[in-house]
PDB file of all heavy atoms in Angstrom:
ATOM      1  N   PHE N 206      21.812 -56.838 -19.965  1.00 97.00           N
ATOM      2  CA  PHE N 206      22.382 -57.964 -19.094  1.00 97.00           C
ATOM      3  C   PHE N 206      22.591 -57.426 -17.736  1.00 97.00           C
ATOM      4  O   PHE N 206      23.179 -56.347 -17.529  1.00 97.00           O
ATOM      5  CB  PHE N 206      23.735 -58.425 -19.741  1.00 97.00           C
ATOM      6  CG  PHE N 206      24.347 -59.488 -18.868  1.00 97.00           C
ATOM      7  CD1 PHE N 206      23.948 -60.787 -19.132  1.00 97.00           C
ATOM      8  CD2 PHE N 206      25.248 -59.256 -18.028  1.00 97.00           C
ATOM      9  CE1 PHE N 206      24.571 -61.876 -18.403  1.00 97.00           C
ATOM     10  CE2 PHE N 206      25.879 -60.357 -17.222  1.00 97.00           C
ATOM     11  CZ  PHE N 206      25.534 -61.580 -17.450  1.00 97.00           C
ATOM     12  N   PHE N 207      21.997 -58.186 -16.751  1.00 97.00           N
ATOM     13  CA  PHE N 207      21.995 -57.798 -15.361  1.00 97.00           C
ATOM     14  C   PHE N 207      22.559 -58.781 -14.422  1.00 97.00           C
ATOM     15  O   PHE N 207      22.133 -59.980 -14.536  1.00 97.00           O
ATOM     16  CB  PHE N 207      20.657 -57.306 -14.937  1.00 97.00           C
ATOM     17  CG  PHE N 207      20.006 -56.243 -15.700  1.00 97.00           C
ATOM     18  CD1 PHE N 207      19.026 -56.603 -16.648  1.00 97.00           C
ATOM     19  CD2 PHE N 207      20.380 -54.942 -15.636  1.00 97.00           C
ATOM     20  CE1 PHE N 207      18.396 -55.626 -17.439  1.00 97.00           C
ATOM     21  CE2 PHE N 207      19.754 -53.985 -16.420  1.00 97.00           C
ATOM     22  CZ  PHE N 207      18.743 -54.310 -17.301  1.00 97.00           C
ATOM     23  N   VAL N 208      23.550 -58.410 -13.606  1.00 95.00           N
ATOM     24  CA  VAL N 208      23.962 -59.219 -12.548  1.00 95.00           C
ATOM     25  C   VAL N 208      23.249 -58.666 -11.335  1.00 95.00           C
ATOM     26  O   VAL N 208      23.423 -57.561 -10.869  1.00 95.00           O
ATOM     27  CB  VAL N 208      25.554 -59.101 -12.278  1.00 95.00           C
ATOM     28  CG1 VAL N 208      26.015 -59.970 -11.060  1.00 95.00           C
ATOM     29  CG2 VAL N 208      26.253 -59.510 -13.543  1.00 95.00           C
ATOM     30  N   GLN N 209      22.379 -59.551 -10.706  1.00 95.00           N
ATOM     31  CA  GLN N 209      21.542 -59.103  -9.677  1.00 95.00           C
ATOM     32  C   GLN N 209      22.032 -59.528  -8.196  1.00 95.00           C
ATOM     33  O   GLN N 209      21.634 -58.980  -7.191  1.00 95.00           O
ATOM     34  CB  GLN N 209      20.074 -59.493  -9.857  1.00 95.00           C
ATOM     35  CG  GLN N 209      19.469 -58.980 -11.108  1.00 95.00           C
ATOM     36  CD  GLN N 209      18.102 -59.387 -11.423  1.00 95.00           C
ATOM     37  OE1 GLN N 209      17.864 -60.635 -11.263  1.00 95.00           O
ATOM     38  NE2 GLN N 209      17.227 -58.548 -11.901  1.00 95.00           N
ATOM     39  N   SER N 210      22.829 -60.669  -8.215  1.00 93.00           N
ATOM     40  CA  SER N 210      23.213 -61.163  -6.980  1.00 93.00           C
ATOM     41  C   SER N 210      24.541 -61.825  -7.115  1.00 93.00           C
ATOM     42  O   SER N 210      24.711 -62.643  -8.105  1.00 93.00           O
ATOM     43  CB  SER N 210      22.132 -62.112  -6.336  1.00 93.00           C
ATOM     44  OG  SER N 210      22.629 -62.768  -5.192  1.00 93.00           O
ATOM     45  N   ILE N 211      25.524 -61.633  -6.174  1.00 92.00           N
ATOM     46  CA  ILE N 211      26.754 -62.352  -6.105  1.00 92.00           C
ATOM     47  C   ILE N 211      26.968 -62.819  -4.576  1.00 92.00           C
ATOM     48  O   ILE N 211      26.911 -61.960  -3.747  1.00 92.00           O
ATOM     49  CB  ILE N 211      27.921 -61.509  -6.550  1.00 92.00           C
ATOM     50  CG1 ILE N 211      27.736 -61.044  -8.044  1.00 92.00           C
ATOM     51  CG2 ILE N 211      29.227 -62.215  -6.401  1.00 92.00           C
ATOM     52  CD1 ILE N 211      28.833 -60.096  -8.472  1.00 92.00           C
ATOM     53  N   ASN N 212      27.213 -64.017  -4.532  1.00 88.00           N
ATOM     54  CA  ASN N 212      27.482 -64.539  -3.074  1.00 88.00           C
ATOM     55  C   ASN N 212      28.605 -65.558  -2.959  1.00 88.00           C
ATOM     56  O   ASN N 212      28.901 -66.127  -4.069  1.00 88.00           O
ATOM     57  CB  ASN N 212      26.181 -65.038  -2.414  1.00 88.00           C
ATOM     58  CG  ASN N 212      25.499 -66.048  -3.291  1.00 88.00           C
ATOM     59  OD1 ASN N 212      25.969 -67.228  -3.396  1.00 88.00           O
ATOM     60  ND2 ASN N 212      24.341 -65.781  -3.922  1.00 88.00           N
ATOM     61  N   PHE N 213      28.987 -65.874  -1.775  1.00 84.00           N
ATOM     62  CA  PHE N 213      30.085 -66.805  -1.519  1.00 84.00           C
ATOM     63  C   PHE N 213      29.664 -67.763  -0.392  1.00 84.00           C
ATOM     64  O   PHE N 213      28.832 -67.393   0.413  1.00 84.00           O
ATOM     65  CB  PHE N 213      31.414 -66.057  -1.125  1.00 84.00           C
ATOM     66  CG  PHE N 213      31.768 -64.916  -2.157  1.00 84.00           C
ATOM     67  CD1 PHE N 213      31.248 -63.706  -1.996  1.00 84.00           C
ATOM     68  CD2 PHE N 213      32.566 -65.324  -3.197  1.00 84.00           C
ATOM     69  CE1 PHE N 213      31.645 -62.726  -2.786  1.00 84.00           C
ATOM     70  CE2 PHE N 213      33.006 -64.318  -4.102  1.00 84.00           C
ATOM     71  CZ  PHE N 213      32.528 -63.033  -3.953  1.00 84.00           C
ATOM     72  N   ASP N 214      30.378 -68.825  -0.417  1.00 78.00           N
ATOM     73  CA  ASP N 214      30.199 -69.796   0.764  1.00 78.00           C
ATOM     74  C   ASP N 214      30.920 -69.248   1.942  1.00 78.00           C
ATOM     75  O   ASP N 214      32.204 -69.195   1.975  1.00 78.00           O
ATOM     76  CB  ASP N 214      30.762 -71.209   0.365  1.00 78.00           C
ATOM     77  CG  ASP N 214      30.572 -72.215   1.500  1.00 78.00           C
ATOM     78  OD1 ASP N 214      29.976 -71.925   2.520  1.00 78.00           O
ATOM     79  OD2 ASP N 214      31.018 -73.353   1.314  1.00 78.00           O
TER      80      ASP N 214
END
Side-chain angles (χ1 to χ4, degrees):
F206 182 81
F207 302 103
V208 179
Q209 297 175 321
S210 173
I211 298 175
N212 55 71
F213 307 89
D214 180 4

